[in-house]
Amino acid sequence: MTSSTATSSDVAGSVRDRHDAMHAEIRRRICLLDYPPGQRLSEVSLAEEFGTSRTPMRRVLARLEDEGLVQSLHGVGTLVTDADIAALEQEYHLRLELTELTGRLDPVMPDGAFITELDRLITRGADMIEAGTPREFTAFDMEVFQLLLQLTGNLPLRDVLERLYYKTKRIWLTAAIEAQLDLHQEFRIFHHELEAIRIALQSGDLDAVAHIQRAHISMSFQRLRKKRD
């Protein structure tokens, strides 16, 4: 009886993990503009690519729609949504306020594995200053975001922050591709911010880490808005 229950639980967890992996990969492609705004996503083609049936893929696409990354239109299909700084300005403002809470709501002190990974990312960030591309930097930024999200154990806060981050992430890459940003400056600033976060963590000051992240979002948004104007 116990063995059967454990097996059922393991199967459910495996299925959930697989769905999460499909969701994360399609979301990643959207944020890297591999699937640009307006592109139709074929449920059949994606199911075939990921080796699954249409039903779980339909659930993954519904989850992405709930997050604002795709839109399902009757008679048309599932289309990748656009990401415009004017339309998403309120989302940026909410990210600002919620990011500051990560240092106060169920803060989690990093362990050795976390610090090792952060140091690896800081080294990569230094290399990117001279040779990074907009797409590489966006993928890099997503890795940093996912790592720093571990510094709060408040699951509802993490969920909302993740939704807001990925909904707005494409704006930076679009601007960079359109040559509206000084890439060398963007990479250099971000690397300095990572170093500041490392110093704050050495002091055990998670509130300072949250403020550094908040400042990063604020300044990045202001630079994007200035280029738009």
Side-chain angles (χ1 to χ4, degrees):
M1 181 73 171
T2 303
S3 176
S4 175
T5 302
T7 301
S8 298
S9 177
D10 290 344
V11 170
S14 177
V15 170
R16 185 168 54 250
D17 290 345
R18 189 177 181 190
H19 289 180
D20 287 345
M22 290 190 294
H23 167 266
E25 176 57 25
I26 296 173
R27 182 179 65 182
R28 179 178 179 275
R29 295 176 186 181
I30 291 172
C31 290
L32 293 176
L33 301 181
D34 294 338
Y35 298 152
Q39 178 165 330
R40 180 177 176 274
L41 299 184
S42 168
E43 182 182 295
V44 175
S45 297
L46 286 171
E48 182 178 345
E49 177 188 348
F50 285 94
T52 188
S53 66
R54 294 179 62 179
T55 299
M57 183 54 64
R58 190 176 301 121
R59 290 172 181 162
V60 168
L61 293 177
R63 181 177 171 185
L64 291 166
E65 182 170 19
D66 181 59
E67 294 168 347
L69 296 177
V70 302
Q71 181 180 18
S72 179
L73 298 176
H74 182 68
V76 177
T78 302
L79 304 178
V80 177
T81 58
D82 198 1
D84 176 75
I85 190 169
L88 296 176
E89 186 166 346
Q90 291 187 351
E91 278 83 350
Y92 262 104
H93 291 162
L94 183 56
R95 276 186 66 196
L96 277 174
E97 300 307 317
L98 293 182
T99 296
E100 193 168 338
L101 294 178
T102 60
R104 301 199 300 271
L105 293 183
D106 305 303
V108 176
M109 289 303 298
D111 57 14
F114 180 102
I115 297 299
T116 297
E117 178 63 11
L118 178 60
D119 287 341
R120 182 186 71 82
L121 290 171
I122 289 174
T123 299
R124 277 185 57 196
D127 294 337
M128 200 162 291
I129 293 175
E130 300 300 331
T133 67
R135 190 181 188 281
E136 290 170 341
F137 181 79
T138 300
F140 173 69
D141 186 80
M142 286 192 279
E143 287 187 56
V144 172
F145 170 79
Q146 289 294 162
L147 180 67
L148 297 181
L149 198 60
Q150 298 175 25
L151 295 177
T152 175
N154 190 289
L155 298 183
L157 177 60
R158 288 175 61 160
D159 180 64
V160 175
L161 281 173
E162 195 168 23
R163 286 169 172 257
L164 293 172
Y165 172 83
Y166 285 103
K167 191 173 182 180
T168 57
K169 187 64 238 168
R170 292 171 289 168
I171 295 174
W172 185 92
L173 182 54
T174 300
I177 290 175
E178 294 174 354
Q180 296 176 340
L181 298 175
D182 183 336
L183 296 181
H184 182 79
Q185 179 189 43
E186 292 289 320
F187 299 166
R188 181 173 52 80
I189 290 173
F190 192 54
H191 181 250
H192 287 168
E193 290 166 347
L194 289 179
E195 290 182 318
I197 286 173
R198 181 68 168 85
I199 292 171
L201 288 176
Q202 282 181 319
S203 303
D205 193 343
L206 293 183
D207 197 42
V209 173
H211 282 285
I212 294 168
Q213 292 182 79
R214 187 187 191 280
H216 163 74
I217 297 168
S218 179
M219 289 187 294
S220 178
F221 175 73
Q222 293 303 327
R223 291 194 297 272
L224 285 169
R225 189 163 62 175
K226 183 177 179 181
K227 289 296 182 181
R228 181 201 66 181
D229 297 339

